[in-house]
Amino acid sequence: QKEVEQNSGPLSVPEGAIASLNCTYSDRGSQSFFWYRQYSGKSPELIMFIYSNGDKEDGRFTAQLNKASQYVSLLIRDSQPSDSATYLCAVTRAGGGGFKTIFGAGTRLFVKA
Amino acid sequence: EAQVTQNPRYLITVTGKKLTVTCSQNMNHEYMSWYRQDPGLGLRQIYYSMNVEVTDKGDVPEGYKVSRKEKRNFPLILESPSPNQTSLYFCASSEVEGGYYYNEQFFGPGTRLTVL
């Protein structure tokens, strides 16, 4: 079992719909949770981060964290074709003298115009 | 402009020829990290550094070395590259808060390495 798991997709949604991306993690000691977006051939860029159970909203994006279920999700409302990208879930956990970062393999999202 | 720079951006080399990929950030960040990205495997952490002279292994450190002699620089060294190290490499940096977490990692543009 991978430490951070995502559905690889592709996930296809029509323009204007809600896209729902999911991520599960195995280490209960995980501290921080991130969603990054990566366009083909580009570097990852942060969408949102969340530390506490519950929802966190930023514009069209909402991150949800449930530590009991070891689950974090990202909702994209009013999806746009420009949202088409790979979405990476990342978690940090204590390791050695600091903290490690573990990424999921990513979910490819296609938003159809 | 706040940024993370990597050099070279593209490199083709041969097995066994030592190489260094440089990484530099101008944001005075404490945390720096190297990742490799392979199809279907996502980003995997190679090494990370909490601050100057403080480095630790990530999940895939074999065949790599790092050093952190200055806060802004975090070079990745492949002493004897092999074909299985052909990959896309990213350097990243972030500010550490409270000594144990960060809000965002800023990524460099990536280095595409091919080892023949």
Side-chain angles (χ1 to χ4, degrees), chain A residues 23-42:
Chain A
C23 173
T24 59
Y25 61 95
S26 60
D27 190 330
R28 287 194 175 274
S30 298
Q31 299 160 310
S32 310
F33 307 86
F34 302 84
W35 283 100
Y36 287 86
R37 177 175 62 197
Q38 186 177 27
Y39 293 111
S40 181
K42 301 295 186 182

Side-chain angles (χ1 to χ4, degrees), chain A residues 7 12 14 33 44-46 49 56-57 70 73 94 96 98 100:
Chain A
N7 187 326
S12 184
F33 307 86
E45 53 184 359
L46 183 73
F49 61 88
K56 180 180 179 182
E57 186 174 319
Q70 295 174 247
S73 66
K100 294 185 177 182

Side-chain angles (χ1 to χ4, degrees), chain A residues 37-108:
Chain A
R37 177 175 62 197
Q38 186 177 27
Y39 293 111
S40 181
K42 301 295 186 182
S43 309
E45 53 184 359
L46 183 73
I47 299 294
M48 293 191 71
F49 61 88
I50 186 168
Y51 303 134
S52 304
N53 278 328
D55 295 358
K56 180 180 179 182
E57 186 174 319
D58 184 1
R60 296 186 296 113
F61 300 95
T62 299
Q64 299 174 316
L65 175 62
N66 184 324
K67 289 188 176 181
S69 300
Q70 295 174 247
Y71 170 94
V72 58
S73 66
L74 179 70
L75 299 177
I76 307 174
R77 290 180 298 281
D78 189 23
S79 296
Q80 301 297 309
S82 59
D83 294 326
S84 298
T86 296
Y87 288 79
L88 304 170
C89 172
V91 306
T92 65
R93 58 172 172 79
F99 47 86
K100 294 185 177 182
T101 306
I102 315 297
F103 279 82
T107 298
R108 293 194 68 186

Side-chain angles (χ1 to χ4, degrees), chain A residues 2-3 31-32 34 36 38 41-46 49 51 88 92-93 95-106, chain B residues 31 35 37 40-45 48 50 54 56-59 88 90 96 99-105 107-110:
Chain A
K2 293 181 181 178
E3 189 164 347
Q31 299 160 310
S32 310
F34 302 84
Y36 287 86
Q38 186 177 27
K42 301 295 186 182
S43 309
E45 53 184 359
L46 183 73
F49 61 88
Y51 303 134
L88 304 170
T92 65
R93 58 172 172 79
F99 47 86
K100 294 185 177 182
T101 306
I102 315 297
F103 279 82
Chain B
Y31 189 89
Y35 299 90
Q37 187 171 34
L41 297 178
L43 284 156
R44 292 181 292 166
Q45 192 172 41
Y48 65 94
M50 293 295 292
V54 182
D56 207 345
K57 296 176 181 179
D59 283 341
L88 178 60
F90 287 103
V96 176
Y100 76 101
Y101 71 95
Y102 58 75
N103 291 335
E104 175 179 5
Q105 286 191 89
F107 284 83

Side-chain angles (χ1 to χ4, degrees), chain B residues 34-105:
Chain B
W34 276 104
Y35 299 90
R36 60 177 289 174
Q37 187 171 34
D38 303 289
L41 297 178
L43 284 156
R44 292 181 292 166
Q45 192 172 41
I46 302 170
Y47 272 94
Y48 65 94
S49 170
M50 293 295 292
N51 215 321
V52 175
E53 302 292 1
V54 182
T55 62
D56 207 345
K57 296 176 181 179
D59 283 341
V60 289
E62 295 77 20
Y64 304 94
K65 286 176 58 177
V66 293
S67 67
R68 187 93 181 271
K69 293 183 170 56
E70 303 168 285
K71 198 171 185 180
R72 64 183 293 125
N73 296 323
F74 190 44
L76 179 70
I77 303 158
L78 284 73
E79 295 268 4
S80 183
S82 63
N84 65 13
Q85 293 178 298
T86 292
S87 187
L88 178 60
Y89 291 86
F90 287 103
C91 180
S93 74
S94 60
E95 190 174 67
V96 176
E97 297 196 28
Y100 76 101
Y101 71 95
Y102 58 75
N103 291 335
E104 175 179 5
Q105 286 191 89

